[in-house]
Amino acid sequence: MKLPPLPGLRAFEAAARRENFRQAATELGMTPAAVSQHVRSLEDWLGVRLFERSARGVQLTPAGREFGDAVSAGLAGIAAAAERLSAGARRRTVRLACLPSVVTHWLAPRLPRFRAAHPDIQVAISYAAGAKTAAEAAADLLIQHGTRPDAGALPILSGATRPTCAPSYLNRNGPIRDPRELLAADLLHDESPAAWRRWFSEGSLESPRESGPIFADFNLLLSSLTAGLGVALCPTALIADELSRGELKVLFDRPTDIEKAYWLTEATNLSPEAVLMRDWLLAEATDAAPSGP
């Protein structure tokens, strides 16, 4: 297929639509001289005069008017096709804002299943960064932790926490069979000692006088826990994989933070792809949900 020079076609289409080289130049970000040169080159390539030039300006020839209609229709078709493809690519991307701990310990091991089922959907995962809504996170879907953020939020995982440690900690320090023995254990804290104080208080036990290390990030806490450095209150649902592999052990089943959860909220007007991921997340959470709080 032998095509005329594309820069000449673009310059000619704008000039033909406006019948004015100066206005076409403004539209295209060129100089009028550049538009004129492109049109002249196109005329030379075609061997046909497209414009009549005079001191008053330019005017399309009959051949130029016919060719202008064809070029405009052709470029419009290309633009429409490009927009459809671009819009389709945008719709195939699902933006999920999430806590790093959820990605590391729950989502990442399961995500290959979603990709296998929907290979045409690109999942873009970003840090939630304290966002309270999907719109604040510039995302389609948001997973956040705490008490229910709004009536439309859906629970993905329970936030109930239980005393947890690595087997290596027990091997080194001896078994812990009674909750009161935790008073002498190395207690690790996620953000503050408040959770441990609640757990002891709810069990009618005196809180320990000394406080162990405080970790600002759950991933940091969990790495210390699996290294056998102490006992921490961990969300059992979030570490189900580590528990099933025997890397961690729940010492006592009595939970605290039962009012908390990992909640899924969504933006308005979800794309079909985002709806697919939302439903998949809920199904995965249902399949992984343990009995009890």
Side-chain angles (χ1 to χ4, degrees):
M1 180 182 296
K2 189 175 182 181
L3 293 174
L6 296 181
L9 288 176
R10 188 163 175 259
F12 166 70
E13 190 278 332
R17 183 164 25 87
R18 297 175 176 275
E19 281 196 79
N20 187 296
F21 283 8
R22 186 174 298 278
Q23 292 178 12
T26 300
E27 176 184 325
L28 298 174
M30 298 179 180
T31 64
V35 171
S36 178
Q37 181 59 44
H38 280 307
V39 171
R40 182 74 70 183
S41 297
L42 180 61
E43 289 176 321
D44 292 342
W45 191 91
L46 293 168
V48 175
R49 183 176 294 180
L50 301 173
F51 285 96
E52 295 288 354
R53 296 162 175 82
S54 68
R56 293 191 302 271
V58 296
Q59 184 177 2
L60 283 165
T61 65
R65 194 169 302 281
E66 179 183 351
F67 190 56
D69 290 342
V71 172
S72 290
L75 292 180
I78 292 171
E83 175 60 27
R84 287 194 299 271
L85 288 174
S86 178
R90 289 195 297 271
R91 284 194 298 271
R92 286 196 297 271
T93 298
V94 178
R95 298 165 299 166
L96 171 64
C98 197
L99 298 169
S101 56
V102 175
V103 174
T104 303
H105 302 287
W106 187 78
L107 180 61
R110 292 161 175 79
L111 197 56
R113 291 201 287 270
F114 180 83
R115 295 181 62 193
H118 307 285
D120 57 328
I121 298 177
Q122 177 71 54
V123 181
I125 301 174
S126 61
Y127 179 41
K132 300 300 182 184
T133 65
E136 284 183 21
D140 300 304
L141 303 167
L142 167 67
I143 297 177
Q144 56 187 301
H145 175 260
T147 56
R148 192 173 208 137
D150 59 62
L154 301 170
I156 290 288
L157 297 168
S158 168
T161 61
R162 294 172 174 85
T164 307
C165 71
S168 60
Y169 181 79
L170 299 177
N171 292 339
R172 188 168 60 251
N173 295 279
I176 299 177
R177 299 189 179 92
D178 188 286
R180 287 170 292 188
E181 294 180 49
L182 287 172
L183 295 172
D186 300 295
L187 301 183
L188 310 180
H189 306 281
D190 186 8
E191 295 186 346
S192 83
W196 269 119
R197 286 197 293 266
R198 285 196 303 274
W199 191 85
F200 282 109
S201 176
E202 291 163 2
S204 301
L205 297 170
E206 180 183 354
S207 296
R209 295 179 181 178
E210 295 186 3
S211 177
I214 299 174
F215 298 86
D217 180 87
F218 180 74
N219 284 333
L220 296 177
L221 170 67
L222 201 59
S223 63
S224 297
L225 193 67
T226 54
L229 300 186
V231 183
L233 285 167
C234 291
T236 309
L238 188 60
I239 59 169
D241 291 346
E242 287 84 351
L243 293 171
S244 67
R245 293 194 297 264
E247 297 170 7
L248 295 173
K249 174 183 176 64
V250 172
L251 297 177
F252 303 104
D253 197 50
R254 178 172 62 82
T256 189
D257 293 320
I258 59 174
E259 76 285 1
K260 295 182 180 180
Y262 294 88
W263 302 95
L264 177 67
T265 58
E266 61 186 66
T268 57
N269 301 319
L270 287 185
S271 68
E273 289 75 18
V275 171
L276 278 173
M277 175 150 232
R278 177 200 65 193
D279 294 346
W280 176 81
L281 287 168
L282 294 171
E284 284 289 325
T286 299
D287 291 344
S291 59

